[in-house]
């Protein structure tokens, strides 16, 4: 595309850096020419095919230009809206799919470009209003999986994935996402993003399946399943912080629930689950495997201390206090923290003994 010929009726507008720029950026002549004409098109608010083509050129130079992405979407809407109709402005399916492919190609070298992800979302919001919304969502989930295959902790990709599932809000997608997060955890048990995705899928998925019933927690049966899952994950690698934090989150959520009036009937079941998890962790601590020989494991000890303190009886609090004393030595970075925790437990012990 010869830009000066295509825009022969428009005077380009140069970038204004002031009379004495502190740090002038040296752009290529092609970059300067494209953006000089883009500024002129923006000033005229010309939403045409040639303006749309110009955004393609500019975005190839700089895929992070959010102004250019925004103007590109405005061009798409203008080009797809009938001139002689009162129909609502939108973008047709063919152009959306073509632009998603364009964003895909640019995203290959820019997988953490926020503007690219937002552009995809803006286009998909239109596609999700159609009859093929689930098929479109599944295709986009496949795209996200491809990105996560290259970088399994890409925050933008995981956030986009959550937005898709939450927007479609179909039970089959929620169930599939639990399995998907499991597959990612198997590939890399230390992938905290995958553990977070499992939390998202189990919790918000349960709300969706239960027709919007928002208790703020998992059902006891689901919590028991997830607690056992986390313990199994910790057994694979007790030095991995992710399953321990997941376990604590699931159990603390249930403990808070039974403290409320409407959750009182579940108190015995939750206490039983809590003590069962404590027993399993103690067994892990006393029975090292070949892969992880005997010796202090701060992640395990830290989780065990949290749960023993939650159990709250005199024996458990004594065990927690003693283990905190060990952590003062084994976890020197948080030495003052464990001293503080010990003092808190001593206060609790005093109340239990009264």
């Amino acid at each position: 595309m010869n830009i000066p010929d295509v825009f022969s009726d428009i005077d380009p507008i140069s970038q204004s850096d002031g009379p004495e720029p502190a740090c002038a950026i040296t752009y290529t002549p092609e970059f300067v020419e494209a953006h000089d004409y883009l500024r002129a098109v923006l000033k005229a608010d010309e939403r045409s095919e040639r303006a749309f083509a110009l955004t393609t050129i500019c975005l190839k130079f700089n895929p992070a230009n959010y102004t250019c992405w925004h103007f590109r979407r405005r061009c798409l809407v203008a080009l797809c809206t009938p001139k002689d109709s009162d129909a609502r402005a939108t973008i047709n399916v063919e152009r959306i799919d073509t632009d998603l492919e364009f964003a895909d190609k640019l995203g290959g070298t820019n997988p953490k470009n926020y503007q690219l992800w937002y552009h995809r979302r803006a286009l998909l919001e239109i596609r999700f209003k159609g009859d093929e919304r689930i098929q479109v969502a599944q295709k986009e989930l496949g795209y996200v999986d491809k990105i996560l295959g290259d970088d399994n902790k890409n925050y933008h990709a995981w956030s986009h994935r959550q937005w898709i599932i939450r927007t479609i809000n179909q039970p089959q997608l929620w169930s599939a996402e639990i399995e998907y997060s499991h597959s990612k955890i198997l590939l890399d048990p230390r992938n905290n993003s995958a553990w977070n995705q499992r939390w998202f899928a189990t919790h918000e998925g349960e709300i969706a399946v239960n027709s919007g019933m928002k208790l703020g927690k998992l059902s006891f049966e689901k919590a028991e399943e997830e607690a056992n899952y986390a313990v199994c994950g910790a057994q694979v690698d007790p030095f991995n912080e992710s399953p321990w934090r997941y376990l604590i989150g699931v159990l603390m959520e249930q403990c808070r629930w039974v403290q409320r009036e409407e959750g009182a009937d579940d108190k015995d079941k939750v206490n039983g689950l809590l003590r069962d998890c404590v027993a399993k962790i103690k067994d892990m601590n006393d029975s090292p495997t070949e892969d992880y020989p005997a010796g202090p494991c701060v992640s395990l000890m830290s989780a065990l201390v949290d749960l023993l303190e939650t159990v709250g009886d005199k024996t458990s609090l004594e065990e927690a206090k003693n283990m905190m004393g060990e952590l003062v030595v084994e976890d020197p970075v948080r030495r003052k923290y464990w001293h503080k925790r010990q003092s808190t437990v001593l206060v609790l012990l005093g109340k239990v003994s009264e």
Side-chain angles (χ1 to χ4, degrees), residues 3 29-39 54 57-58 61:
I3 298 176
E30 295 80 10
F31 184 102
V32 171
E33 179 183 78
H35 285 80
D36 285 354
Y37 277 96
L38 177 64
R39 278 186 284 273
L54 182 60
I57 295 172
C58 291
F61 282 126

Side-chain angles (χ1 to χ4, degrees), residues 3 21 39 71-72 82 127 150 166 175 219 233 247 337:
I3 298 176
R39 278 186 284 273
F71 183 62
R72 183 181 183 86
R127 289 289 272 121
D150 295 330
R166 187 185 288 119
S175 299
S219 66
L247 174 65
Y337 167 75

Side-chain angles (χ1 to χ4, degrees), residues 276-311:
D276 181 56
C277 289
V278 167
K280 289 178 180 177
I281 298 171
K282 285 182 179 179
D283 185 59
M284 288 172 60
N285 195 38
D286 297 335
S287 306
T289 65
E290 293 181 2
D291 294 330
Y292 300 100
C297 176
V298 171
S299 296
L300 182 153
M301 294 167 69
S302 177
L304 184 54
V305 160
D306 288 346
L307 296 183
L308 286 169
E309 190 173 352
T310 302
V311 172

Side-chain angles (χ1 to χ4, degrees), residues 9 40 58 84 89 140 152 191 201 224 282 289 302 304:
D9 58 323
C58 291
D84 56 349
E140 186 69 3
N152 62 16
N191 186 350
E224 185 176 34
K282 285 182 179 179
T289 65
S302 177
L304 184 54

Side-chain angles (χ1 to χ4, degrees), residues 8-303:
S8 59
D9 58 323
I10 289 181
D11 294 326
I13 300 175
S14 300
Q15 178 171 302
S16 176
D17 291 327
E20 296 180 2
C23 184
I25 300 173
T26 303
Y27 301 107
T28 65
E30 295 80 10
F31 184 102
V32 171
E33 179 183 78
H35 285 80
D36 285 354
Y37 277 96
L38 177 64
R39 278 186 284 273
V41 169
L42 287 170
K43 183 177 180 180
D45 195 22
E46 179 191 317
R47 286 172 264 175
S48 61
E49 286 290 359
R50 67 176 185 173
F52 179 78
L54 182 60
T55 65
T56 300
I57 295 172
C58 291
L59 288 168
K60 287 179 179 178
F61 282 126
N62 178 17
N65 189 334
Y66 59 88
T67 301
C68 197
W69 282 113
H70 175 68
F71 183 62
R72 183 181 183 86
R73 288 191 292 275
R74 294 183 69 193
C75 287
L76 281 170
V77 171
L79 293 169
C80 295
T81 302
K83 306 293 184 186
D84 56 349
S85 171
D86 294 330
R88 183 181 177 185
T90 186
I91 308 172
N92 65 45
V93 171
E94 292 75 17
R95 297 206 73 145
I96 288 176
D97 291 344
T98 299
D99 227 53
L100 287 172
E101 291 177 10
F102 171 71
D104 183 8
K105 290 176 182 177
L106 285 186
T109 55
N110 299 273
K112 294 185 178 179
N113 181 337
Y114 173 79
Q115 286 74 31
L116 272 167
W117 289 107
Y118 183 80
H119 185 68
R120 299 190 72 87
R121 174 171 173 169
L123 295 177
L124 287 166
E125 283 177 343
I126 299 171
R127 289 289 272 121
F128 285 171
K129 294 176 182 177
D131 296 334
E132 299 179 347
R133 57 200 304 265
I134 294 180
Q135 293 88 334
V136 173
Q138 289 172 333
K139 181 179 179 181
E140 186 69 3
L141 289 172
Y143 168 77
V144 177
D145 180 52
K146 181 183 73 172
I147 301 300
L148 290 174
D150 295 330
D151 177 5
N152 62 16
K153 295 183 181 179
N154 185 321
Y155 170 81
H156 300 285
W158 283 112
S159 296
H160 189 64
R161 194 172 183 93
Q162 290 190 5
W163 171 77
I164 294 168
I165 295 166
R166 187 185 288 119
T167 300
I168 300 300
N169 198 26
Q170 292 291 329
Q172 61 266 41
L173 287 185
W174 288 110
S175 299
E177 195 61 14
I178 295 174
E179 292 303 316
Y180 180 80
S181 63
H182 173 62
S183 69
K184 289 298 184 183
I185 290 171
L186 290 180
L187 285 174
D188 178 9
R190 290 176 177 252
N191 186 350
N192 53 298
S193 296
W195 283 96
N196 179 70
Q197 190 73 359
R198 186 177 182 91
W199 180 278
F200 162 78
T202 54
H203 282 70
E204 295 207 20
E206 180 139 319
I207 292 172
V209 170
N210 290 327
S211 302
M213 183 175 61
K214 298 182 179 180
L215 296 177
K217 71 170 193 69
L218 297 177
S219 66
F220 174 79
E221 292 72 22
K222 187 63 178 177
E224 185 176 34
E225 179 184 330
E226 292 303 301
N228 289 330
Y229 181 87
V231 170
C232 288
Q235 288 171 338
V236 172
D237 178 4
F239 292 87
N240 178 10
E241 190 73 13
S242 294
W244 292 121
R245 293 304 102 195
Y246 190 89
L247 174 65
I248 297 299
V250 169
L251 294 177
M252 292 302 100
E253 181 181 69
Q254 294 296 310
C255 290
R256 287 192 296 270
W257 167 250
V258 298
Q259 291 173 3
R260 295 164 55 177
E261 183 178 349
E262 60 265 44
D265 292 342
D266 293 334
K267 188 171 184 178
D268 290 341
K269 292 190 295 184
V270 170
N271 286 339
L273 175 60
L274 185 61
R275 291 179 181 276
D276 181 56
C277 289
V278 167
K280 289 178 180 177
I281 298 171
K282 285 182 179 179
D283 185 59
M284 288 172 60
N285 195 38
D286 297 335
S287 306
T289 65
E290 293 181 2
D291 294 330
Y292 300 100
C297 176
V298 171
S299 296
L300 182 153
M301 294 167 69
S302 177

